[in-house]
Amino acid sequence: MKKFLLVLFVAFSLSEVHTAFANAGDEDQLKSLVDSFAIAIVKKDKAWIVSNLSETCKMYEPSGNTLDRAGIVYTFTEGIYDISKSAALNKAFKVDGMAAGGSADFDVEGVGNINGNRVDIAGSYRFNLKFTKSDKGWLISEIIINER
């Protein structure tokens, strides 16, 4: 019985260590994904954005607009938002298997075409994010943007 309990204890300990390493690796991938997103919106990198948003990704803007994946791509690559500088700060994530949630503060400089007017959008925004893990890695599945 002691051997059985010892085997269970060792197996449980190893699974906890594996989970901790897996979550740390996943969190590093999510940090990299968010940093790359900050760069992609400055470069208007349509290919990167398309390949790193899930098919069902939604973005909720501070104005109340909700965009689907195609709308997100258009907004960041076709001049609705002309972002000249973007940095993701204060990133935090929680991984739960094949899903994750997180947040980051985005400091941006740029202008936006909002309701037909060119508006300065420089400032700090809180991005609350959801992610799904696919066979090709983590994808952004939801973006909620709030002004800070």
Side-chain angles (χ1 to χ4, degrees):
M1 183 65 162
K2 285 184 183 179
K3 285 184 181 182
F4 177 71
L5 290 175
L6 181 60
V7 168
L8 282 178
F9 175 73
V10 169
F12 178 74
S13 296
L14 290 176
S15 70
E16 288 297 312
V17 168
H18 174 71
T19 300
F21 282 129
N23 282 347
D26 286 332
E27 287 179 19
D28 289 343
Q29 290 173 24
L30 293 170
K31 287 178 185 175
S32 179
L33 180 62
V34 169
D35 287 337
S36 296
F37 180 72
I39 293 166
I41 62 177
V42 171
K43 291 183 173 181
K44 299 183 184 329
D45 188 343
K46 185 176 184 175
W48 188 96
I49 295 171
V50 167
S51 66
N52 287 280
L53 298 180
S54 72
E55 298 270 335
T56 59
C57 187
K58 299 276 188 219
M59 184 171 81
Y60 304 91
E61 297 180 299
S63 65
N65 290 334
T66 301
L67 303 174
D68 62 7
R69 181 180 179 206
I72 298 166
V73 172
Y74 180 81
T75 295
F76 286 116
T77 63
E78 301 296 327
I80 300 298
Y81 292 141
D82 188 8
I83 298 172
S84 58
K85 182 178 177 185
S86 176
L89 311 167
N90 305 318
K91 297 177 286 282
F93 304 98
K94 181 173 178 160
V95 177
D96 185 16
M98 301 296 279
S103 63
D105 296 330
F106 273 66
D107 288 342
V108 300
E109 293 178 15
V111 294
N113 291 315
I114 302 175
N115 298 326
N117 299 311
R118 198 142 170 92
V119 178
D120 183 2
I121 59 170
S124 183
Y125 298 85
R126 168 66 73 160
F127 279 47
N128 292 303
L129 304 145
K130 290 185 181 176
F131 307 90
T132 54
K133 197 168 194 178
S134 73
D135 57 346
K136 62 182 191 173
W138 287 102
L139 298 172
I140 300 169
S141 57
E142 182 178 84
I143 306 167
I144 301 172
I145 304 172
N146 293 297
E147 293 185 61
R148 292 186 41 84

